[in-house]
Amino acid sequence: MRHNEGGMSRERRIEAYDLLRCKARVYCNVPLERKDSQIGLTMFMRTGRRSFKNQSVVTEIFGRECAKAGGCKLQVADSGNLTFCEQVSLMSSTDILVSPHGAQLTNMFFMDKNSSVMEFFPKGWLKLAGVGQFVYHWLASWSGMKHQGAWRDPFPDSDLRKCEFPEDDRRCMTIYKDGKIGYNETYFTEWARNVLKEAKINKQEQSQKRVLTGNASELQQLQASGCACG
């Protein structure tokens, strides 16, 4: 689908993803609108290439900040182990998606609009991977999400063989592309805290709008989340 999006305006793209989100939720019998005030923080994990080298530490960092934020629920999953409808259900309860770069990030458009994405890369991708590395940044924009930036590991995976060429030589990408991702506790902590703070403010604003508008504006509320399909 993304190869056919070049001629579409941003508004048309958002409408298309709204429809996909809505139809998926209907098909999977997932409620179209969330009415809870809980922040859903989901971590998608990978095995093998482009996975976190120390998954338990990264999970602990985000879990700690989730607990500090209050009203936050952490979920850790491997999308490859979930059925389609399990993925739709999980994403529909997610406000912040934390994930290494990879195909599992395609699930982001099942989240409500204005949800957040945090992306992680191994060493070497920024200089060597080309424009394709930004595909999920683009997808976030096209589907009405907030791409909150990417963390790029400055250090090579020590388990990989050393590249015999200068590190900015494109031939090194054949090694770097499958590297695992380390962590920076200070950076991850601050980043998570800031994104959680923003998500909490968004949740509070949504709750206030529901109280003020009531059921008479249910269609508008569904449109805001990107789920007002017929």
Side-chain angles (χ1 to χ4, degrees):
M1 175 180 169
R2 71 181 163 89
H3 297 290
N4 296 320
E5 294 185 25
M8 297 174 67
S9 67
R10 184 171 186 270
E11 291 73 20
R12 290 293 292 168
R13 284 172 174 154
I14 288 179
E15 287 176 4
Y17 282 105
D18 284 352
L19 183 61
L20 288 169
R21 178 186 306 111
C22 177
K23 294 299 185 182
R25 289 188 182 182
V26 170
Y27 175 80
C28 294
N29 198 29
V30 173
L32 294 180
E33 182 192 13
R34 288 175 61 194
K35 296 185 178 180
D36 64 285
S37 59
Q38 188 175 61
I39 300 170
L41 194 163
T42 297
M43 301 183 71
F44 266 161
M45 297 302 180
R46 294 172 60 96
T47 55
R49 61 183 186 173
R50 295 197 307 278
S51 60
F52 288 114
K53 195 160 190 177
N54 198 327
Q55 177 178 318
S56 61
V57 172
V58 177
T59 302
E60 182 182 350
I61 293 169
F62 280 89
R64 183 174 64 232
E65 292 308 309
C66 183
K68 285 182 182 178
C72 175
K73 180 181 180 181
L74 174 68
Q75 301 182 90
V76 181
D78 182 337
S79 63
N81 295 330
L82 303 176
T83 66
F84 171 74
C85 283
E86 286 172 339
Q87 293 176 62
V88 172
S89 179
L90 177 59
M91 288 296 95
S92 72
S93 65
T94 297
D95 301 288
I96 302 170
L97 178 59
V98 175
S99 175
H101 177 79
Q104 71 282 350
L105 276 166
T106 306
N107 284 280
M108 73 170 74
F109 71 83
F110 293 133
M111 299 189 291
D112 283 352
K113 282 197 297 191
N114 295 315
S115 295
S116 293
V117 179
M118 304 171 74
E119 190 174 5
F120 301 77
F121 289 86
K123 162 82 174 180
W125 278 69
L126 181 60
K127 290 183 178 179
L128 305 175
V131 297
Q133 65 186 290
F134 301 110
V135 63
Y136 298 112
H137 196 134
W138 302 335
L139 180 58
S141 175
W142 297 339
S143 58
M145 305 301 161
K146 297 177 182 177
H147 194 285
Q148 299 282 4
W151 185 77
R152 300 170 186 276
D153 196 336
F155 303 108
D157 182 352
S158 59
D159 292 335
L160 297 176
R161 67 180 175 86
K162 182 176 174 58
C163 183
E164 60 267 34
F165 307 104
E167 68 173 28
D168 59 352
D169 190 305
R170 297 190 71 86
R171 287 171 289 186
C172 290
M173 189 59 187
T174 60
I175 299 171
Y176 290 148
K177 70 183 179 67
D178 293 334
K180 292 191 176 183
I181 304 167
Y183 69 94
N184 180 320
E185 183 168 1
T186 301
Y187 187 91
F188 286 12
T189 297
E190 174 122 9
W191 191 18
R193 186 177 300 150
N194 290 337
V195 176
L196 280 161
K197 181 179 180 181
E198 182 179 321
K200 192 166 189 175
I201 292 172
N202 288 340
K203 281 287 187 181
Q204 291 170 344
E205 290 176 349
Q206 290 170 13
S207 295
Q208 290 170 355
K209 286 179 182 178
R210 278 196 293 268
V211 171
L212 291 173
T213 59
N215 293 330
S217 198
E218 184 176 354
L219 178 59
Q220 291 179 329
Q221 293 171 23
L222 288 173
Q223 288 171 335
S225 66
C227 292
C229 63

